[in-house]
Amino acid sequence: MANEIWTIRRCLEWTKEYLAEHGEEHPRLSAEWLLCAATGLARIDLYMRMDDTLDAAQLETMHAAVVRRAKGEPLQYITGSTQFRMIDVACAPGVLIPRPETEMLVEEVLNYLDAEVLSPEAATRQRVELPWNDEVEQARKAEVALADERATAERRAANLTAADEAALGGDVLGSRAYAEELADREAEEAAAQAAEAETAEVAEPELDEYGIAIEGVDQETALVQDAAASVPADPRIARVLEVGCGTGCISLSLAWERRGHVACTATDIEPRAIDLATKNRDALGLTSDEVAFSLTNLVSSIPREEWGTFDVLVSNPPYIPTDVMRSLPHEVKDFEPDLALEGGADGLDIFRRLLNAAPYMLRAGGLFACELYEGALDAAAELCRQAGLSDVRIVRDLTDRPRIVRAIVTEPKQRQ
């Protein structure tokens, strides 16, 4: 194969036929995926570059991939990635491959967060008493008093006759001339004080080389208080706890699609899952503050001080009933991890443990949401009701099968 000239067109047709002969349900689509992974091209680019020749390294990669696929290994493990909602997710053997129905689980959580946690809240700006407010008020009162004095002086002067002035003398306090002079002087002083008060109200502080006010503690404090009064409160950050994160696709999608508004804590018992989820987080440029991964059994690693603080507990737990495991497709049963698939006799073994943990992990009004086996949803919903959860609902997937149970914790618990 390596000694021949293999164009993209020839390789695509050969791979399609070979996979069809080995029972591939969608041979052309699989061939396209494998060629994209081997060449680094997008699917549309394959058809625009059909006559391009594959080099030796690409041919070797393609040959190994075709052999693996013919044996039934999932495409996502072979190509090393898949798309989940708005993000690309790395996949690897030993970690469950994300499914389309799990995208709906993310949608349910986002709908809840948008409606119940992240909706804007009315904020009333409170008037803050600044240090110079009292000074301005005192200046205003002084201005009013001076105006009253001037009016009194003018009335006094208006009532004096020439005979009165002669009798009292030109330098007497009650004379018209003195009264008018006093009124003019007082008016000038009032105007000057009013202007001074106005300047004090709007004056900008003198700053040092670091931008810090240097005209006194009172002014600096006033500026800080004024700034605090004008800055809105920090937005609410939703807290999500995911159990059994696998590739991390649920938590990473929540944090990515509501970046800056959601912080996730995600756990898994499988070290390979934690390593892969961390790799996916780093590839997206998310931080550990936005999504924190923890290697643990269910919620064992959650610190006691964080109990009762989460808005959501979400999980895609192992949920395939034991009897159903035997009838799973070859590429699922023989390649994906049993630990992430099998859920006990009725598929609800792990779900029951999560349901028991939910009232301890969630705040009042918090959402508990799980993806489950289609035949177990009614039983799961009844378990939620028996546990005292409210607003219990079953959500159907795109094929109209029951797929998700969601409920609200109304009475959180505290372990003694």
Side-chain angles (χ1 to χ4, degrees), residues 361-379:
M361 296 295 113
L362 294 172
R363 60 165 177 80
L367 175 71
F368 174 55
C370 284
E371 177 184 329
L372 296 170
Y373 178 66
E374 61 186 88
L377 267 299
D378 287 336

Side-chain angles (χ1 to χ4, degrees), residues 131-143 193-194 196-202:
W132 57 69
N133 283 350
D134 187 56
E135 295 176 9
V136 173
E137 182 65 17
Q138 292 300 324
R140 187 191 66 79
K141 291 179 179 179
E143 181 182 354
Q193 289 186 11
E196 189 174 302
E198 183 179 356
T199 302
E201 185 177 10
V202 300

Side-chain angles (χ1 to χ4, degrees), residues 19 23-27 69:
L19 293 179
E24 173 65 54
E25 186 176 0
H26 304 288
R69 183 57 188 160

Side-chain angles (χ1 to χ4, degrees), residues 55-170:
D55 60 31
Q58 291 170 335
L59 279 173
E60 184 178 352
T61 298
M62 192 64 184
H63 179 264
V66 171
V67 171
R68 291 171 65 183
R69 183 57 188 160
K71 293 180 179 179
E73 186 171 352
L75 280 167
Q76 294 89 340
Y77 287 162
I78 299 171
T79 63
S81 68
T82 191
Q83 188 171 27
F84 186 85
R85 290 182 64 90
M86 298 174 63
I87 62 176
D88 289 326
V89 178
C91 300
V95 182
L96 188 71
I97 297 169
R99 301 302 204 271
E101 50 266 33
T102 306
E103 296 187 4
M104 294 187 62
L105 180 61
V106 173
E107 190 71 17
E108 284 298 314
V109 173
L110 287 175
N111 289 340
Y112 166 81
L113 292 177
D114 289 344
E116 304 297 334
V117 182
L118 302 179
S119 56
E121 299 176 357
T124 303
R125 178 177 174 179
Q126 300 294 326
R127 181 179 184 271
V128 176
E129 287 296 334
L130 302 176
W132 57 69
N133 283 350
D134 187 56
E135 295 176 9
V136 173
E137 182 65 17
Q138 292 300 324
R140 187 191 66 79
K141 291 179 179 179
E143 181 182 354
V144 172
L146 287 171
D148 289 343
E149 289 182 13
R150 179 183 179 185
T152 300
E154 289 177 342
R155 285 194 300 271
R156 183 185 307 130
N159 291 331
L160 288 175
T161 64
D164 292 328
E165 289 180 357
L168 294 172

Side-chain angles (χ1 to χ4, degrees), residues 197-217:
E198 183 179 356
T199 302
E201 185 177 10
V202 300
E204 294 293 331
E206 182 180 353
L207 305 178
D208 64 13
E209 60 181 319
Y210 301 103
I212 300 174
I214 59 176
E215 291 189 8
V217 175

Side-chain angles (χ1 to χ4, degrees), residues 237-283:
I237 302 297
R239 303 197 71 233
V240 176
L241 173 60
E242 181 192 1
V243 178
C245 64
T247 61
C249 60
I250 294 176
S251 288
L252 295 175
S253 289
L254 293 172
W256 180 259
E257 294 184 39
R258 297 295 184 274
R259 192 158 193 183
H261 299 283
V262 175
C264 299
T265 297
T267 72
D268 205 292
I269 198 172
E270 170 57 61
R272 287 175 293 182
I274 295 298
D275 290 344
L276 186 61
T278 302
K279 173 184 175 182
N280 283 324
R281 181 190 67 195
D282 295 345

Side-chain angles (χ1 to χ4, degrees), residues 319-380:
Y319 61 67
I320 305 298
T322 303
D323 289 344
V324 179
M325 286 287 295
R326 291 189 286 270
S327 62
L328 291 176
H330 165 59
E331 67 179 68
V332 176
K333 179 176 58 178
D334 295 335
F335 289 95
E336 296 197 67
D338 287 353
L339 184 64
L341 292 170
E342 187 170 356
D346 62 357
L348 297 175
D349 281 3
I350 302 300
F351 173 79
R352 289 185 176 88
R353 297 172 65 185
L354 293 172
L355 178 58
N356 182 64
Y360 295 98
M361 296 295 113
L362 294 172
R363 60 165 177 80
L367 175 71
F368 174 55
C370 284
E371 177 184 329
L372 296 170
Y373 178 66
E374 61 186 88
L377 267 299
D378 287 336

